[in-house]
Amino acid sequence: MFRLAHLTDPHVGPLPRPRLRQLMSKRATGWVNWRRGRRLTHDMEILAALVDDLRAAAPDHVACTGDLCNIGLPSEWETARVFMEGLGGPDFVSFVPGNHDAYVRGSLKGLLDAVGPWTRDDAGRDKRFPYLRRRGPLALIGLSSAIPTAPFVASGRLGSDQIRAAETMLQDLAAEPERPCRVVMIHHPPHVGGAKAGRNLTDAHAFEAMIGRVGADLVLHGHNHVGSVAFVMAPGGRRVPVIGAPSASARGGALKHCAGYHLYEIARTATGFTLTATLRGLLPEGGLGDLGTLTLKA
């Protein structure tokens, strides 16, 4: 039994006051949105409690699928690195970036310079996507959908080169005598209809087609700030679960908008893997606890 924790969209704060010249970009609208509401939505005390709960669950590995930052300020990069260190060391945590991490041109490079070790592949290279990490029976494939976009746009894109490289990785892994559980990590929902236009993965059709050719066992994502389950088709009529986790710091009024993370138990069977996902997060009466369990076969 291998235990994998998945959290996403922590939007680590507090957000430092930017300099005027730093607001001469998309950051201006992001700063206004933060001041008007996002700073109240994302609660760092809740995030700290959630991380404590996650660590107490003693997973074997942690997947973090992006949006450490808010508006891509250089001052946020060090804060993000400190958060990642608190979550766990680079061998224990795998990271892929989100759209807020690439808020403006140059933001993604700055963040990855700070948290690059959490993207280091098995060959010792970091800040390259896709990457492959093997942990126990898992093969973790990290994708980056993070690109800078115009104001009021939060879409993502993988690009043909990244999709092609991921296909090769997944195909090679499937051909191994003892096939690992292939877990794909991405920030944006990678299935068609996973997010509305302007927030979606623009090449979701190409991603789905790739999975249709070579398959996977589990796809993890964030971005929507709610828990969700969808499926994409794989060879042989298999359905690959595509599971989104809530924001790890949200203190919304509705249960599905409250902070949470998924804890997976993954077991090898004679024909593949059994995946059990437990959602842990804020309870209606307060505190943290189990919010439901989902069992899937891969």
Side-chain angles (χ1 to χ4, degrees):
M1 184 74 68
F2 190 92
R3 291 160 62 84
L4 174 70
H6 171 218
L7 84 166
T8 191
D9 296 81
H11 291 281
V12 183
L15 184 59
R17 179 175 291 277
R19 298 176 181 176
L20 182 60
R21 62 180 176 80
Q22 293 174 326
L23 294 179
M24 300 303 172
S25 65
K26 180 182 177 178
R27 289 191 183 115
T29 55
W31 172 250
V32 171
N33 287 339
W34 175 265
R35 296 297 301 173
R36 284 183 174 178
R38 290 183 68 89
R39 64 189 176 93
L40 301 176
T41 298
H42 296 286
D43 188 311
M44 295 305 100
E45 291 186 4
I46 289 174
L47 177 60
L50 195 85
V51 170
D52 285 346
D53 188 84
L54 183 154
R55 295 300 299 263
D60 296 297
H61 197 71
V62 178
C64 179
T65 53
D67 277 2
L68 298 178
C69 295
N70 295 285
I71 60 174
L73 289 171
S75 53
E76 292 186 84
W77 302 333
E78 175 63 15
T79 304
R81 184 189 63 80
V82 171
F83 170 77
M84 291 299 291
E85 288 179 342
L87 187 58
D91 289 338
F92 179 65
V93 182
S94 295
F95 172 74
V96 296
N99 55 293
H100 281 263
D101 301 320
Y103 210 70
V104 298
R105 293 188 184 277
S107 290
L108 182 58
K109 181 183 184 304
L111 175 69
L112 291 178
D113 284 345
V115 302
W118 285 268
T119 69
R120 186 169 295 137
D121 67 15
D122 288 341
R125 300 166 298 194
D126 58 21
K127 298 178 284 188
R128 300 184 184 187
F129 302 92
Y131 66 74
L132 172 63
R133 288 181 145 192
R134 294 176 184 265
R135 299 293 186 271
L138 271 56
L140 296 150
I141 297 96
L143 301 177
S144 175
S145 58
I147 56 171
T149 57
F152 308 110
V153 177
S155 58
R157 185 178 68 248
L158 291 170
S160 58
D161 289 347
Q162 193 175 180
I163 291 175
R164 188 161 47 247
E167 180 169 1
T168 298
M169 284 182 180
L170 288 164
Q171 188 172 41
D172 290 347
L173 291 165
E176 294 183 1
E178 189 172 62
R179 178 178 65 81
C181 182
R182 297 168 296 165
V183 179
V184 178
M185 302 176 299
I186 183 173
H187 178 72
H188 289 80
H191 54 295
V192 176
K196 64 182 181 181
R199 290 183 47 82
N200 61 324
L201 185 73
T202 59
D203 46 7
H205 281 284
F207 177 87
E208 280 199 15
M210 182 269 288
I211 297 297
R213 292 189 294 269
V214 297
D217 297 296
L218 175 64
V219 181
L220 306 178
H221 72 84
H223 189 57
N224 285 341
H225 292 195
V226 296
S228 63
V229 179
F231 296 90
V232 296
M233 298 306 298
R238 289 180 54 249
R239 299 197 309 164
V240 178
V242 179
I243 302 184
S247 163
S249 61
R251 54 178 303 175
L255 180 61
K256 69 176 183 177
H257 288 280
C258 284
Y261 70 94
H262 282 122
L263 183 63
Y264 292 87
E265 292 186 343
I266 301 170
R268 188 182 293 276
T269 68
T271 57
F273 297 89
T274 297
L275 313 173
T276 301
T278 299
L279 175 62
R280 288 190 59 81
L282 288 177
L283 299 170
E285 63 272 20
L288 296 169
D290 289 352
L291 294 170
T293 299
L294 178 69
T295 300
L296 303 161
K297 289 185 178 181

